[in-house]
Amino acid sequence: MDLHAIQGQRPATILQSMMHYKVQRYLSLMNLPVNMNLLELKYYCISQSNQERQVATTLYSLEDTISRRKEEIVTEGSGKPSWTKKLLLDNQLLCSKIREEAGELIETLLENEDKSRTASEMADLLYHAMVLLSVRDVKMEEVLEVLRRRFSQSGVEEKASRKKS
Ligand SMILES: N=c1c2ncn([C@@H]3O[C@H](COP(=O)(O)OP(=O)(O)OP(=O)(O)O)[C@@H](O)[C@H]3O)c2ncn1[C@@H]1O[C@H](COP(=O)(O)O)[C@@H](O)[C@H]1O
């Protein structure tokens, strides 16, 4: 902010300049267009938080379904057929499916397959990996927490710091 420019200005004008400066800084930090007006910014924030809520709801509902299947194994035995139960009961099968799904995801890149195939293979891998989390009693929130902690550090910096210690 140019301090010379505000010298001799009325407090209200200075406050307005400061607000404008803060909004511009926020927009540039968020990589948003600097000419975005406040109404557009408001709708952007609302749609972002809806999207975040949808991501969390999807992951947590799937986690919930998997843990219900785990409980069903105890309460109902084999009960009604379920792929999740099969995986929960057989570590070999689970590990081989995770490897297979990771391989299929990689193939979509190497073979330059349709984007929808990449999304579908990633969904398969994510689901199977989440069953492994359940077997290990690791909550999705613990994984997300690890990712959030890494936000402040680049992967290259993190690797370099590991080599020093
Ligand atoms: N998200 C999934 C999910 N993704 C994949 N799969 C199953 O994983 C299995 C293996 O997937 P593949 O694509 O490898 O199937 P495949 O038959 O080996 O096919 P190929 O690739 O070999 O041709 C299939 O039976 C899929 O249906 C899933 N099974 C279950 N879920 C979720 O878990 C919930 C509970 O499912 P059940 O435990 O089966 O009731 C479901 O409602 C879903 O929300």
Side-chain angles (χ1 to χ4, degrees), residues 61-62 65-66 69 72 80-87 97 100-101 104 117 120-121 123-128 131:
S61 332
L62 183 55
T65 306
I66 295 168
R69 292 289 184 269
E72 283 165 24
K80 68 174 171 37
S82 147
W83 180 249
T84 313
K85 284 193 218 168
K86 262 181 117 125
L87 296 169
K97 286 309 287 185
E100 181 190 314
E101 302 305 349
E104 285 173 7
R117 289 275 309 143
S120 169
E121 295 305 341
D124 283 349
L125 179 59
L126 191 55
Y127 158 73
H128 285 88
V131 177

Side-chain angles (χ1 to χ4, degrees), residues 70-149:
K70 202 174 174 182
E71 281 162 24
E72 283 165 24
I73 294 175
V74 181
T75 56
E76 304 168 13
S78 50
K80 68 174 171 37
S82 147
W83 180 249
T84 313
K85 284 193 218 168
K86 262 181 117 125
L87 296 169
L88 287 167
L89 290 166
D90 186 344
N91 283 355
Q92 288 295 329
L93 173 69
L94 176 58
C95 294
S96 77
K97 286 309 287 185
I98 293 177
R99 281 194 198 99
E100 181 190 314
E101 302 305 349
E104 285 173 7
L105 176 65
I106 291 167
E107 276 305 293
T108 70
L109 172 65
L110 299 180
E111 301 297 326
N112 195 22
E113 290 178 29
D114 198 83
K115 271 162 58 165
S116 63
R117 289 275 309 143
T118 305
S120 169
E121 295 305 341
M122 182 61 197
D124 283 349
L125 179 59
L126 191 55
Y127 158 73
H128 285 88
M130 283 177 72
V131 177
L132 185 146
L133 289 185
S134 174
V135 172
R136 299 284 301 145
D137 280 325
V138 174
K139 290 271 164 225
M140 195 62 197
E141 179 48 31
E142 291 174 59
V143 178
L144 300 179
E145 167 67 26
V146 175
L147 287 175
R148 281 197 296 272
R149 261 188 271 128

Side-chain angles (χ1 to χ4, degrees), residues 2-15:
D2 185 358
L3 291 176
H4 292 292
I6 59 168
Q7 264 177 5
Q9 300 263 17
R10 284 184 309 128
T13 315
I14 296 173
L15 205 63

